[in-house]
Each structure stands twice: as structure tokens, then as C-alpha cells.
Amino acid sequence: MGFGERKFLEAAHEIDNITLDGFEFLTESKKESVECKIYRKYEEVSGLYEYKIMGSISDVLPDVCKQVYMDLEYRKNWDDYVYELYEFEEDGVKNIYWSVNYPWPMSNRDYIYTRALRELEVNSIPTVVVLAESNLLTKTPERSGVIRVKEYHQSLIIQSDGMVGTKAFMHYFDNPGGLIPSWLINWGAKTGVPTFLNSMRKACLGYKEYFSKK
């Protein structure tokens, strides 16, 4: 398991040169200090879409976004969809276990994935790159009543917007499995991403206070 340096570099450069071959515009959202545009690409095998998102939070610095995104314990406080979330080691590999609340009557989903962060420069701009993907070699058994997500990959790139805010790029694919209509999954992406960004902004604004109480 692991990510080569080439993957980090390729992901990082897309924040300024987003590749949209085969992608279509889905939606855009503006609320308070948060903006995002979402594009999608149909995948015939799964019948689902992969997504690319350009986003910005105009009143939060990149370093705070990075810390909040990587802090699993803090995420339990602000992300209502988290049922269980922790890091563990298996065969010398650090993994993350993430159990997600799904609305009734659907079953909850869980993920076991690896994650890595690199800090580098793109056009002389400090850039944070976080890569994540499912660990298909895990020995952790599936839980009764919970569907294991086995197809998941994500890249997140964070940069300064040149002022006092953050711009970000995300590319992800997620196959939740089970009997969920594809229209419902895509509706979730259309509404869930802006909601997540707004929740993350609030979490960033409250991170200093949270950290001081730890």
C-alpha cells in the first residue's frame, strides 16, 4: 500500500489546470463565504459518477483547513454523518475506519482506507495534497448490518487564495454498494458537497477554541 510521489504531483497541478475531459457541469453553490462548482463523469461499469469539485472558503486560512480536515477526533464533533471514526494499524499500514450514518431505511456504510499528506509547492505556492483510497487488503471483518464500501478514492488539494482564504480542489469516486438508486446518490453529491463545505467552514472557525480546551 502507498502512494507514489507522481500521484501527489499530478493531483497538485490540477488545482490550477482542472482536466474535464468527459466531465459535465453539475451545479454550483454560493453561501456566505463558501463557493463551489461540481462536475461529474459517468462511469458505465458502476452506473455511478465520479466528481471533481472546485471550492473556496474566503475567511479561513489554508493551514487551518488542513488541520481540521486531518483531525479525526475533531470531525466527530462537527460532522453529523460520522458514526465511528478512528485510525488503526494493520500489517504495518496505517488505516482509517470510518462508519457513516445513512438515513433510514438504508443501511449504514463503512470504509477502511489509507490516507497520506504531502506539502509541496506548485508555481511557488505552498500546496497541501491529501490522497486516500480503499484498502482492499484489510483483514478487518465486515460488520453485521453495515455495508462495506470497497470502491473509494479521493484527492484533495488545498492552497491559499492569495488573500486571507483558501481554495481547494477535490476529485473523488465512491461506490456505496447496496440497493440505492443512482439518482439518489447523485442528488446526495449535488447537495451534500456544499453542505459539507459549509459545515467545515464552521468547524474551522471554531477550531482554535476546540483546541484550547483539549
Side-chain angles (χ1 to χ4, degrees):
M1 299 293 295
F3 304 98
E5 292 302 314
R6 183 176 177 181
K7 282 190 176 182
F8 286 98
L9 290 171
E10 288 176 348
H13 282 281
E14 198 162 6
I15 194 168
D16 289 320
N17 299 284
I18 182 172
T19 303
L20 292 173
D21 293 343
F23 283 78
E24 63 179 1
F25 175 76
L26 177 61
T27 189
E28 65 180 318
S29 173
K30 295 182 180 181
K31 184 179 180 181
E32 295 184 32
S33 300
V34 178
E35 296 184 14
C36 72
K37 290 184 179 181
I38 305 174
Y39 302 84
R40 68 180 184 179
K41 181 179 181 181
Y42 184 68
E43 190 182 78
E44 293 186 4
V45 175
S46 65
L48 301 171
Y49 289 89
E50 62 178 296
Y51 297 90
K52 291 188 175 184
I53 300 110
M54 293 297 299
S56 65
I57 305 176
S58 64
D59 56 356
V60 174
L61 293 171
D63 190 59
V64 178
C65 283
K66 177 192 72 175
Q67 292 179 61
V68 168
Y69 187 78
M70 297 299 289
D71 191 329
L72 300 182
E73 285 299 315
Y74 184 44
R75 185 160 179 174
K76 297 176 189 179
N77 289 11
W78 62 268
D79 188 345
D80 292 336
Y81 289 99
V82 171
Y83 180 76
E84 193 173 354
L85 181 64
Y86 60 87
E87 188 174 65
F88 70 100
E89 188 168 311
E90 183 181 77
D91 296 332
V93 176
K94 288 186 177 181
N95 297 274
I96 293 172
Y97 177 83
W98 179 29
S99 181
V100 182
N101 287 314
Y102 267 59
W104 186 90
M106 292 183 286
S107 299
N108 285 359
R109 266 63 178 171
D110 70 3
Y111 300 69
I112 294 179
Y113 64 97
T114 58
R115 181 177 72 171
L117 179 149
R118 294 287 186 278
E119 297 189 53
L120 40 85
E121 287 195 354
V122 176
N123 298 324
S124 300
I125 301 172
T127 304
V128 174
V129 183
V130 184
L131 301 181
E133 66 180 11
S134 300
N135 182 357
L136 300 179
L137 303 178
T138 182
K139 298 174 184 176
T140 304
E142 298 184 25
R143 301 184 180 185
S144 176
V146 180
I147 296 176
R148 174 68 48 81
V149 176
K150 298 177 180 177
E151 294 181 80
Y152 165 72
H153 63 77
Q154 177 181 288
S155 59
L156 171 69
I157 299 90
I158 298 171
Q159 271 189 355
S160 169
D161 66 358
M163 294 179 285
V164 294
T166 298
K167 67 176 183 177
F169 168 75
M170 180 181 288
H171 180 196
Y172 81 92
F173 175 78
D174 185 334
N175 184 349
L179 301 176
I180 304 178
S182 58
W183 67 264
L184 182 58
I185 296 172
N186 294 317
W187 176 85
K190 187 174 181 178
T191 59
V193 171
T195 298
F196 175 80
L197 286 174
N198 280 284
S199 295
M200 186 169 174
R201 171 183 175 261
K202 292 178 182 178
C204 288
L205 295 175
Y207 191 56
K208 184 177 180 179
E209 180 180 358
Y210 162 82
F211 201 78
S212 68
K213 293 179 179 179
K214 288 184 66 175

